[in-house]
Amino acid sequence: MRVLVTRPAHSATRTAQRLRDMGHEPLLLPLRQPLHDGDAAAGALAATSGAIAVTSAEAIRVLSALGEQLHPHLARPLFAVGETTAEEARSLGFQSVVSSQGNGRDLADLVAAEKPSTLLYLAGTPRAETFERRLRELSIHFSVAECYRMQPTVPDSAEIDAIFANGYPDAILFYSRQTTEDFFRLPEPRPALPKQSAIRLLCLSEAVAEAVPAALKKSVEISPMADEKSLLSLL
């Protein structure tokens, strides 16, 4: 099966290997690239104490570049969305890591159950504010530090032509609402997609699926859990 991956290049490379291991042919079309702000992360860590929350592994990659500045904070409890992100945090040296298996709302419920006295959310932009809204509903005090930005990257027509030269993929993987919107703004593939009814549009969550145009909703499948393992299980 030919599978198009729309996530950033760093993550897409690992996804591509997982797809090959499953017997599929990955096609990579990164539509966003991260711009890290290590100073914002380091400053927020230094100015706070207590628990940390992350909703993306990209925040862990920001922390990985801090080196010795991170060492005093590795004993702080860390809450993460998804076991993959949690494992990256553990690999970095965090000693107390717990993860939710759903989305940001589920993570907020997990935080509420643990009742940390303070919480620092290391966030990216743009982002869905599901986690923050739920924290407010639960009356949990928290602070936010935006430590990375997902910048749009527009592929040129030659790159798009190369991907679609041998026909359309059998499936497309969508990981975020923003990249889904980016994909359907591309000038080349969108006009033909409604005719390609066999293409499966696999979305990480309902929020991601909302960004798929109405004409293609019948081709959408939503991952049972908001993690890559569950998403790839749809293939």
Side-chain angles (χ1 to χ4, degrees), residues 112-123:
E114 296 290 331
K115 299 179 180 178
S117 56
T118 60
L119 182 70
L120 168 64
Y121 176 28
L122 296 176

Side-chain angles (χ1 to χ4, degrees), residues 130-142:
T130 310
F131 179 56
E132 290 152 278
R133 281 197 299 269
R134 183 57 175 162
L135 289 175
R136 294 187 188 102
E137 289 173 4
L138 296 168
S139 300
I140 296 173
H141 177 72
F142 67 98

Side-chain angles (χ1 to χ4, degrees), residues 84-102:
T84 300
T85 301
E87 281 300 324
E88 291 203 23
R90 294 185 188 104
S91 297
L92 196 56
F94 280 95
Q95 300 162 23
S96 176
V97 181
V98 293
S99 64
S100 70
Q101 294 306 308

Side-chain angles (χ1 to χ4, degrees), residues 86-184:
E87 281 300 324
E88 291 203 23
R90 294 185 188 104
S91 297
L92 196 56
F94 280 95
Q95 300 162 23
S96 176
V97 181
V98 293
S99 64
S100 70
Q101 294 306 308
N103 56 20
R105 183 180 179 87
D106 297 316
L107 183 65
D109 289 338
L110 179 61
V111 170
E114 296 290 331
K115 299 179 180 178
S117 56
T118 60
L119 182 70
L120 168 64
Y121 176 28
L122 296 176
T125 183
R127 65 182 180 277
E129 295 192 0
T130 310
F131 179 56
E132 290 152 278
R133 281 197 299 269
R134 183 57 175 162
L135 289 175
R136 294 187 188 102
E137 289 173 4
L138 296 168
S139 300
I140 296 173
H141 177 72
F142 67 98
S143 59
V144 179
E146 293 184 346
C147 60
Y148 65 93
R149 179 176 184 83
M150 299 305 296
Q151 301 273 67
T153 173
V154 181
D156 58 36
S157 57
E159 186 178 357
I160 296 174
D161 289 344
I163 288 175
F164 293 97
N166 296 319
Y168 279 80
D170 300 294
I172 305 175
L173 302 180
F174 294 113
Y175 289 79
S176 76
R177 186 185 184 98
Q178 289 78 28
T179 53
T180 306
E181 292 172 345
D182 292 342
F183 179 82
F184 288 107

